[in-house]
Amino acid sequence: MDNMLNSCCGSANFLRELLIFHYKEGKMSRYLIELYQNNVKTSGEDILSAIIPLMKLLSLTVIGLVLAHPKTKIIPKATFKLLSKLVFALFLPCLIFTELGESITVENFADWWFIPVNVVISTAIGCLLGYMVVLICRPPPQFKRFTIIMTAFGNTGNIPLALVGSVCHTKDNPFGPHCHSRGVAYVSFSSWVSVILVYTLVYHMMEPPLEYYEIVEEGAEIEIEIEEQEAVNDISRPLLVEAEWPGMEDKETEHSKQPSIARIFQSISSVSQSSVPDLEVTGEGAPNSPRSIRCLAEPRVVRRIRTVAVQTPIQHILQPPTIASLLAIIVGMVPQIKAFFFGYDAPLSFLTDSLEILAGAMVPSVMLVLGGMLAEGPIDSKLGLRTTIGISVARLLLLPLLGIGIVALSDKLNVLVHGDEMYRFVLLLQYTTPSAILLGAIASLRGYAVSEASALLFWQHVFALFSLSLYIVIYFKIISYV
């Protein structure tokens, strides 16, 4: 009897524990299912929040492409050139002044120092990647410097501003209520560094190679001059080379289309040696001896540097966007002046409101112009398919990966602004954008690799639709874990 009771009790305990186990297991299963569904939902929302801004910009680009396509010709090419001039001279400066001037202060100026430094770092890393592309892909000899430049210098102005504006246009953006003003301020604060680099370093690196220039020059110097004059007045000049620097024909100088720097470094040594008498000819004790002449003569290196500096178009740095950045920094850092322009009770608030209305046209205008550029299609290029793919992969895929490492390392070193996701997003964008469209304008100004620059910029902007989508999703994931 006792054995029966014990067995019954044991069975009851076993059934009770089994029921408890199934209950807990069912509860755990429901918890796991809900957790999985929430994770899937969160991942889907993150992907949508990253993709939707790009879809908005893509829609504007497609509209511009349809309007400018050669088969439709709804809007002529001259209109897009006029629109690009409005962006360059009006819409973009208004956006920079209104957003940067209101956001920047003396404290912010000290905290934001890494933004322009990051541009220099990304450019230096891009130069190294470009040199690797040269070693691996082996472009034609006259395009080696061109390959390095197109890999190194990305678009730090219009495209980041358009991306920031599109991301912040969404209500559930991950950057908070002041998303747009901070994003535009960060991008604008870095643009002046890129402009200085382009008009100094890039301008000289885009100089026509001396050997290539002499081969062309020997046969038909008159024909070259005629072709250049026709290109200046020809409406068929690619829109891609004028989009970020309209009216470039007014900026040309007598040295812009010549390899003057290479000639300087090759000719100064021979000129200096021939112009100074030899020591053996004249006595050493004479007051005007060659030894004293050589002591008083300007050093050869200094002469070369001075000649290069004279031929550097420093005056082109002061373009409307750069002037707007400088004015915004000055106004924003002086509270007494800032009170006149920004704030509800500011005496000149009507002026800043008017500029803000004009600034609203910047993003749609830029994307329409980009669509008009893509409508022209790729131009014939002698760069080679392998080099084109190499530059695109290095610029759009490899450089962003290195950028993630640089920004993460800077964050660990407490260099970045604490808790500011937009700050990190703009830093990452500086590694992600395609090559700067301004490089096409510089190529046209120097008369070097114009068709190659146009073709490469076309393919990079096409591929950037996919690379930007991928990396913005990754950036949103990274920022959510910071």
Side-chain angles (χ1 to χ4, degrees):
M1 190 68 179
D2 292 337
N3 293 332
M4 291 178 64
L5 290 173
N6 291 331
S7 62
C8 289
C9 290
S11 300
N13 291 332
F14 175 75
L15 290 173
R16 182 168 58 82
E17 292 177 359
L18 184 63
L19 290 173
I20 291 173
F21 174 75
H22 279 292
Y23 173 76
K24 290 182 177 179
E25 184 181 11
K27 189 175 181 181
M28 182 64 68
S29 299
R30 288 194 299 272
Y31 174 76
L32 292 174
I33 291 172
E34 291 177 0
L35 181 62
Y36 173 76
Q37 290 177 347
N38 289 334
N39 286 335
V40 171
K41 184 178 179 181
T42 303
S43 300
E45 290 177 351
D46 290 340
I47 293 174
L48 284 177
S49 61
I51 295 298
I52 286 177
L54 282 174
M55 297 302 294
K56 297 176 185 177
L57 298 180
L58 180 61
S59 300
L60 293 173
T61 305
V62 171
I63 293 174
L65 191 149
V66 172
L67 293 176
H69 198 274
K71 292 184 178 180
T72 58
K73 293 183 179 179
I74 299 175
I75 295 180
K77 185 177 178 179
T79 304
F80 281 94
K81 290 191 175 184
L82 178 61
L83 184 60
S84 68
K85 291 181 180 181
L86 287 174
V87 170
F88 178 79
L90 183 61
F91 299 153
L92 181 58
C94 290
L95 179 65
I96 291 174
F97 180 80
T98 55
E99 299 296 347
L100 180 60
E102 187 176 10
S103 301
I104 195 168
T105 60
V106 177
E107 294 78 10
N108 290 341
F109 188 84
D111 293 336
W112 296 356
W113 66 270
F114 189 72
I115 295 178
V117 171
N118 191 61
V119 174
V120 178
I121 295 174
S122 64
T123 303
I125 296 175
C127 288
L128 294 176
L129 287 177
Y131 184 71
M132 293 177 62
V133 172
V134 170
L135 295 178
I136 296 172
C137 299
R138 296 181 180 179
Q142 66 268 27
F143 298 129
K144 288 183 178 179
R145 284 185 282 120
F146 172 81
T147 300
I148 296 174
I149 292 168
M150 297 300 290
T151 309
F153 291 86
N155 192 318
T156 58
N158 288 350
I159 290 183
L161 286 174
L163 286 171
V164 167
S166 182
V167 167
C168 297
H169 192 266
T170 307
K171 292 182 179 179
D172 55 349
N173 70 81
F175 302 112
H178 302 289
C179 170
H180 188 261
S181 59
R182 287 188 290 113
V184 173
Y186 294 156
V187 175
S188 304
F189 191 67
S190 65
S191 60
W192 58 272
V193 182
S194 302
V195 172
I196 292 176
L197 289 175
V198 167
Y199 288 121
T200 53
L201 179 62
V202 173
Y203 180 83
H204 290 304
M205 289 189 70
M206 290 288 277
E207 179 180 275
L210 183 61
E211 301 83 6
Y212 174 74
Y213 185 90
E214 287 180 347
I215 292 173
V216 175
E217 190 182 30
E218 285 176 1
E221 182 178 356
I222 300 176
E223 293 180 3
I224 292 173
E225 294 179 356
I226 295 174
E227 289 177 359
E228 289 177 359
Q229 291 176 359
E230 290 178 352
V232 168
N233 299 321
D234 193 1
I235 193 67
S236 64
R237 184 200 295 267
L239 181 61
L240 198 62
V241 303
E242 288 191 347
E244 288 196 7
W245 199 17
M248 74 186 69
E249 62 273 9
D250 299 331
K251 314 296 190 302
E252 292 182 359
T253 64
E254 58 178 341
H255 305 291
S256 61
K257 295 186 183 299
Q258 298 178 5
S260 54
I261 304 302
R263 286 176 173 173
I264 288 170
F265 277 80
Q266 287 191 3
S267 62
I268 282 184
S269 58
S270 60
V271 171
S272 60
Q273 291 176 0
S274 62
S275 59
V276 179
D278 196 273
L279 277 172
E280 297 178 357
V281 179
T282 311
E284 293 184 1
N288 295 326
S289 64
R291 186 183 299 274
S292 61
I293 293 175
R294 288 179 179 177
C295 290
L296 296 174
E298 186 178 19
R300 190 178 305 169
V301 176
V302 175
R303 194 183 315 163
R304 292 175 179 178
I305 295 174
R306 181 174 55 82
T307 307
V308 171
V310 169
Q311 296 186 8
T312 301
I314 300 295
Q315 67 276 9
H316 297 341
I317 294 176
L318 295 178
Q319 297 296 325
T322 310
I323 295 174
S325 299
L326 294 176
L327 289 177
I329 292 173
I330 294 172
V331 170
M333 292 179 62
V334 181
Q336 293 79 6
I337 302 178
K338 189 174 184 178
F340 277 91
F341 290 91
F342 301 101
Y344 294 105
D345 300 331
L348 299 179
S349 60
F350 67 92
L351 177 60
T352 53
D353 290 342
S354 302
L355 298 179
E356 188 174 354
I357 294 172
L358 292 172
M362 204 284 293
V363 172
S365 299
V366 164
M367 302 317 296
L368 290 176
V369 171
L370 179 59
M373 292 188 297
L374 297 179
E376 295 180 345
I379 300 176
D380 293 334
S381 172
K382 298 179 182 178
L383 188 62
L385 179 61
R386 182 170 58 182
T387 306
T388 301
I389 294 175
I391 295 174
S392 301
V393 170
R395 177 76 225 174
L396 301 178
L397 295 180
L398 297 181
L399 187 59
L401 289 176
L402 298 175
I404 293 174
I406 295 295
V407 175
L409 178 62
S410 304
D411 197 9
K412 286 189 176 181
L413 296 175
N414 295 324
V415 173
L416 309 184
V417 177
H418 180 69
D420 193 338
E421 293 84 2
M422 177 56 74
Y423 189 93
R424 290 160 177 78
F425 183 67
V426 170
L427 293 177
L428 291 169
L429 280 182
Q430 292 175 352
Y431 294 90
T432 318
T433 55
S435 299
I437 299 176
L438 185 58
L439 299 180
I442 297 295
S444 179
L445 180 67
R446 301 307 307 262
Y448 168 58
V450 180
S451 59
E452 286 74 20
S454 298
L456 185 59
L457 288 172
F458 172 84
W459 290 117
Q460 278 202 36
H461 283 79
V462 171
F463 296 148
L465 297 175
F466 304 98
S467 63
L468 280 172
S469 302
L470 172 64
Y471 278 107
I472 286 181
V473 172
I474 295 174
Y475 295 160
F476 276 24
K477 285 289 186 181
I478 293 174
I479 290 171
S480 64
Y481 288 116
V482 174

